[in-house]
């Protein structure tokens, strides 16, 4: 599942324009990713690090429920704006399951109604998992949903910050929801945030996801939490819950060393896939480590479209789909400028960095510290990115050589077995 970054497990949609597709919106991309938030920021949990809960302040007095009229307008416009044979309808929150199952049944029916002949519609949802039951799992399976499940590791690590509104732990409820997904054979991804409570336990977290949860697709998201005023970050300080740059780098290294010894080709870790793509010279498929961004947007429950899920702020609202077509908003000069600024505003320290090709400065939301020579807009996680990319340089080069020789990257594991003397380092 993709969270804010559009990185699903399947390959991206083809860039070829299919027959019957609408004419291109001038300057717009043939495809884009949009996270729709049918309940806005409303959630049944009160996770300590969640940056989105306070976004309620943007819509005082709102019911925070997407209307049926807006739902159809959104799906119609989303499909019309894509000039590719595949479109993804992605739901996030808050907690989207608070809309109820019938809302999502209608969304599937509307997608079938508006899809062009031969178009494939993919459905995804990001959930905290606490409300999932057999009915939800059955619906997801029947309609081919990819479910992103938020889980931060074993009980102690998960419950450190992921608690409900009453302060009660949520681990058991999440695992029960996961049980329903696995019982029905629903495709799912693990989305794990990395923070002060679990950052020192990379192998424990990875093994829990792999062995206890059965996860075969994982995303690790660093928690970088800053003080805000009316939902807008204003300081270069971070909270005590945030992961440090050094912890982020060492966490990725720890997971990589476990993964590269036994799980290449069996377990897919988004960060490693992205790194390999950049080393190989292919598009990364993730905005964070691409040269530019701007094709991963967010839409609130009332139809307001924002430049990015991490920039749901008054200065980044592009417009409302009740007033302008979604394709126009995505192709707007404001959005094109937002995406290009990721490259244009790189400090010289990044431009001259030896791992720029793999990093590309990271996400603009985290570019709030200064370079050693005082230039602004250095990524808070810079030191961690450098640690990780330098650490994996040799194995990434080796996997690229394997690919060019028409061999599987998983063949690299034999090299580690030889070096380790047969011990793959998997004994708990």
């Amino acid at each position: 599942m993709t969270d804010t970054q559009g990185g699903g497990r399947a390959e991206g949609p083809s860039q070829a324009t299919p027959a019957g597709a609408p004419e291109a919106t001038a300057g717009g991309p043939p495809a884009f990713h949009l996270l729709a938030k049918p309940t806005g920021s409303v959630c049944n949990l009160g996770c300590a690090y969640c940056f989105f809960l306070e976004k309620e302040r943007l819509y005082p007095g709102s019911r925070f429920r997407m209307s049926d009229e807006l739902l159809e307008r959104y799906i119609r416009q989303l499909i019309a704006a894509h000039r590719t044979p595949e479109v993804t309808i992605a739901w996030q929150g808050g907690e989207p399951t608070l809309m109820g199952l019938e809302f999502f049944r209608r969304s599937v029916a509307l997608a079938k109604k508006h899809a062009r002949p031969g178009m494939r519609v993919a459905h995804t949802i990001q959930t905290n998992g606490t409300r999932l039951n057999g009915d939800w799992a059955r619906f997801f399976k029947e309609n081919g949903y990819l479910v992103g499940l938020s889980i931060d590791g074993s009980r102690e690590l998960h419950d450190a910050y992921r608690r409900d509104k009453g302060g009660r732990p949520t681990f058991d409820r999440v695992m029960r929801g996961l049980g329903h997904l696995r019982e029905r054979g629903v495709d799912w991804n693990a989305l794990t945030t990395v923070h002060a409570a679990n950052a020192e336990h990379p192998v424990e977290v990875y093994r829990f996801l792999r062995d206890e949860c059965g996860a075969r697709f994982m995303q690790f998201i660093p928690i970088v939490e800053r003080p805000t005023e009316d939902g807008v970050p204003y300081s270069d300080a971070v909270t005590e819950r945030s992961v440090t740059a050094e912890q982020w780098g060492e966490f990725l290294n720890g997971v990589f060393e476990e993964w590269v010894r036994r799980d290449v080709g069996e377990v897919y870790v988004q960060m490693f896939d992205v790194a390999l793509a950049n080393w190989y010279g292919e598009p990364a498929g993730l905005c964070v480590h691409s040269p530019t961004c701007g094709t991963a947007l967010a839409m609130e429950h009332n139809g307001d479209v924002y430049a990015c899920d991490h920039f749901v702020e008054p200065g980044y609202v592009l417009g409302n789909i009740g007033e302008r077509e979604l394709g126009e908003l995505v192709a707007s000069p404001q959005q094109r400028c937002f995406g290009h600024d990721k490259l244009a505003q790189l400090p010289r320290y990044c431009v001259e960095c030896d791992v720029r090709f793999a990093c590309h400065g990271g996400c603009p939301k985290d570019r709030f510290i200064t370079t050693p020579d005082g230039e602004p807009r250095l990524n808070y996680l810079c030191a961690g990115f450098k640690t990780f990319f330098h650490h994996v340089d040799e194995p990434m080069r080796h996997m690229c050589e394997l690919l060019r020789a028409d061999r599987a990257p998983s063949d690299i594991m034999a090299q580690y077995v030889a070096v380790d003397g047969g011990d793959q380092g998997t004994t708990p």
Side-chain angles (χ1 to χ4, degrees):
M1 185 57 204
T2 70
D3 172 38
T4 71
Q5 303 168 27
R9 67 176 62 177
E11 293 184 1
S14 166
Q15 299 301 301
T17 302
E23 290 298 315
T25 301
F32 56 91
H33 190 268
L34 188 147
L35 288 173
K37 301 169 181 292
T39 64
S41 60
V42 174
C43 186
N44 60 319
L45 302 191
C47 300
Y49 54 65
C50 183
F51 72 94
F52 215 78
L53 292 176
E54 61 186 23
K55 300 297 183 181
E56 287 187 34
R57 300 175 187 174
L58 293 173
Y59 299 97
S62 174
R63 292 180 60 242
F64 291 100
R65 290 186 68 82
M66 183 179 288
S67 69
D68 288 347
E69 179 185 4
L70 182 62
L71 172 63
E72 181 160 17
R73 180 181 297 124
Y74 164 58
I75 290 177
R76 177 183 59 78
Q77 291 188 21
L78 180 71
I79 290 172
H82 276 71
R83 307 189 306 281
T84 52
E86 179 176 324
V87 61
T88 297
I89 299 174
W91 301 105
Q92 200 205 37
E95 176 49 41
T97 62
L98 291 172
M99 289 298 296
L101 195 48
E102 287 307 310
F103 174 87
F104 294 96
R105 293 190 197 281
R106 289 194 295 274
S107 75
V108 170
L110 288 169
K112 293 177 180 177
K113 172 183 175 181
H114 291 288
R116 297 187 293 273
M119 173 176 263
R120 178 180 181 271
V121 179
H123 300 274
T124 72
I125 187 170
Q126 180 66 37
T127 176
N128 60 45
T130 61
R131 305 184 72 253
L132 300 184
N133 55 26
D135 291 339
W136 280 102
R138 189 177 304 108
F139 168 77
F140 291 147
K141 181 64 176 178
E142 290 173 352
N143 292 283
Y145 265 72
L146 173 60
V147 179
L149 186 73
S150 296
I151 184 164
D152 283 0
S154 58
R155 181 187 304 276
E156 181 181 359
L157 301 178
H158 175 89
D159 284 339
Y161 298 132
R162 297 194 66 81
R163 293 176 173 262
D164 66 18
K165 300 288 191 184
R168 294 176 293 270
T170 62
F171 178 81
D172 287 336
R173 281 174 276 176
V174 175
M175 292 301 288
R176 185 162 55 246
L178 174 58
H180 289 296
L181 297 180
R182 297 182 70 183
E183 181 181 356
R184 292 284 176 179
V186 176
D187 287 337
W188 71 284
N189 288 356
L191 190 150
T192 300
T193 58
V194 181
H195 43 67
N198 65 5
E200 302 290 340
H201 307 280
V203 177
E204 177 185 341
V205 170
Y206 177 76
R207 289 178 178 171
F208 171 79
L209 296 174
R210 181 192 66 196
D211 301 337
E212 302 300 320
C213 298
R216 292 299 176 264
F217 297 86
M218 305 178 191
Q219 298 178 59
F220 294 107
I221 308 296
I223 291 297
V224 180
E225 184 185 24
R226 299 162 63 194
T228 62
E229 184 173 339
D230 295 327
V232 180
Y234 65 86
S235 168
D236 62 359
V238 298
T239 67
E240 70 281 356
R241 293 181 288 264
S242 299
V243 65
T244 68
E246 292 74 15
Q247 285 176 324
W248 176 235
E250 292 303 327
F251 182 92
L252 292 173
N253 288 352
V255 173
F256 183 83
E257 287 301 313
E258 174 78 3
W259 172 82
V260 78
R261 282 170 163 77
R262 63 159 291 173
D263 293 326
V264 182
E266 295 295 329
V267 177
Y268 297 87
V269 179
Q270 185 188 53
M271 186 66 165
F272 305 160
D273 285 353
V274 166
L276 182 58
N278 276 330
W279 252 267
Y280 196 71
E282 292 290 328
L286 180 68
C287 53
V288 174
H289 295 299
S290 296
T292 60
C293 60
T295 57
L297 302 90
M299 188 184 78
E300 270 287 351
H301 62 290
N302 70 336
D304 284 348
V305 177
Y306 290 83
C308 171
D309 182 44
H310 287 286
F311 288 88
V312 178
E313 303 168 10
Y316 294 93
V317 63
L318 302 173
N320 188 286
I321 64 169
E323 300 168 356
R324 293 178 64 190
E325 287 288 314
L326 178 59
E328 294 180 23
L329 299 176
V330 176
S332 67
Q334 179 182 350
Q335 183 63 6
R336 293 202 304 272
C337 182
F338 174 84
H340 181 66
D341 279 350
K342 184 177 190 291
L343 173 63
Q345 296 181 356
L346 272 181
R348 180 172 297 276
Y349 186 77
C350 292
V351 172
E352 298 175 350
C353 180
D354 63 335
V355 292
R356 175 190 171 185
F357 74 94
C359 178
H360 294 294
C363 182
K365 80 177 180 67
D366 295 328
R367 295 181 181 178
F368 56 84
I369 64 172
T370 57
T371 67
D373 58 0
E375 194 175 0
R377 298 193 181 96
L378 181 65
N379 198 297
Y380 166 82
L381 296 169
C382 171
F385 288 142
K386 281 191 171 185
T387 294
F388 171 67
F389 291 131
H390 286 146
H391 183 83
V392 303
D393 180 62
E394 184 177 342
M396 287 294 167
R397 290 176 186 274
H398 184 48
M399 284 190 280
C400 287
E401 292 172 0
L402 290 169
L403 284 169
R404 293 186 183 103
D406 290 325
R407 294 172 59 190
S410 57
D411 287 353
I412 195 174
M413 293 187 291
Q415 174 183 327
Y416 279 86
V417 170
V419 171
D420 296 342
D423 178 11
Q424 294 179 308
T426 59
T427 303

